[in-house]
Amino acid sequence: MLSDVMEDYLKTIYMLQREHGPPVRTSTVADALDVTSPTVTSMLENLEDRGFLVREKYKGVELTEDGEAVALEVLRHHRLLEAYLAEHLDYEWSEVHDEADALEHHISEEFERRVADALGDPRVDPHGDPIPSEDLTLAEDDTVSLASAEPGDSVVVARVSDRDDEELRYLSEVGVEPGTALTVTDTTPIGTLVLDIDGETVTLPESVAATIRVRPAAEAQP
């Protein structure tokens, strides 16, 4: 049996691999989990001994097939729970992450199946993050950061990071959420993006825009 902490490490490493590619450096894992590098090193040694990852000296770690399977299972639990909390229990999208974090390690496969059935087997969670399928596959990421958009670009929001509750509340207020169509009208010297959303002007700091993933409007799914 793996502890909750071990599963959190595997999930975090998987997400870092998906974002940046392997291998994932110890310091990067430490930053993501807000723990010290020696603490991470000790856990990575433990997980390597159990066959969930491989380490390459001075380079970092990469999940094995077993490690990736655990990470995807936990990620599926997490994102299904977020969707259920938002759709059936009226949680705001800024509230579901911490609740799902607390529950994701403790639901049975039968509970997972019933949640998926109740939701109609959704493809994404409330933040637009893809939900691993029942056979633990995850669609390739074809999005780009909103921060990389240029003036004149018309895009549709695909997903938004769920790490900052205040940020999510602000984005809700200004109407930036998965499915929102917008046009970048300007970028300022102080690092602000000026957006047009249904005729309304919205400004976002570049640091916030970097947490938003988009697709060109012409390629967005209906």
Side-chain angles (χ1 to χ4, degrees):
M1 292 291 291
L2 292 176
S3 68
D4 295 359
V5 174
M6 289 176 176
E7 290 184 348
D8 281 338
Y9 268 80
L10 295 173
K11 181 181 71 171
T12 298
I13 293 168
Y14 176 81
M15 293 171 68
L16 291 170
Q17 283 186 182
R18 188 171 170 86
E19 184 175 358
H20 304 294
V24 178
R25 298 181 66 85
T26 299
S27 58
T28 304
V29 179
D31 289 343
L33 291 171
D34 195 24
V35 295
T36 65
S37 289
T39 297
V40 172
T41 298
S42 176
M43 178 59 76
L44 296 182
E45 290 174 351
N46 192 340
L47 291 170
E48 182 181 36
D49 289 344
R50 291 168 177 253
F52 292 109
L53 56 81
V54 292
R55 294 190 301 157
E56 189 171 354
K57 195 172 183 179
Y58 306 122
K59 290 190 176 181
V61 300
E62 182 174 358
L63 296 182
T64 62
E65 286 188 12
D66 286 345
E68 187 169 304
V70 172
L72 283 165
E73 184 70 32
V74 177
L75 200 59
R76 176 171 167 81
H77 289 179
H78 181 96
R79 292 177 177 173
L80 281 172
L81 286 165
E82 287 191 333
Y84 189 83
L85 290 165
E87 185 169 328
H88 289 279
L89 300 181
D90 296 326
Y91 276 72
E92 298 295 330
W93 73 338
S94 59
E95 300 173 320
V96 297
H97 178 77
D98 288 345
E99 294 282 8
D101 259 352
L103 295 168
E104 65 191 17
H105 307 287
H106 307 293
I107 66 172
S108 66
E109 298 310 299
E110 175 63 16
F111 187 89
E112 173 204 303
R113 184 186 64 78
R114 293 193 183 200
V115 168
D117 287 347
L119 293 167
D121 200 19
R123 292 185 296 175
V124 296
D125 71 11
H127 311 103
D129 286 316
I131 298 173
S133 64
E134 190 174 4
D135 64 359
L136 301 182
T137 58
L138 194 61
E140 290 298 318
D141 185 5
D142 60 352
T143 64
V144 297
S145 169
L146 177 58
S148 68
E150 300 287 343
D153 287 351
S154 293
V155 299
V156 174
V157 176
R159 70 178 195 269
V160 177
S161 172
D162 61 1
R163 296 296 179 180
D164 190 315
D165 294 348
E166 287 188 13
E167 222 170 75
L168 287 172
R169 285 191 286 270
Y170 173 72
L171 292 175
S172 290
E173 290 173 5
V174 299
V176 176
E177 57 189 28
T180 297
L182 59 87
T183 300
V184 179
T185 59
D186 197 10
T187 56
T188 71
I190 60 171
T192 299
L193 274 70
V194 183
L195 313 175
D196 178 275
I197 303 176
D198 290 333
E200 298 290 330
T201 298
V202 172
T203 59
L204 288 181
E206 188 174 317
S207 60
V208 175
T211 70
I212 300 169
R213 306 294 295 186
V214 299
R215 295 185 179 91
E219 297 177 11
Q221 294 293 326

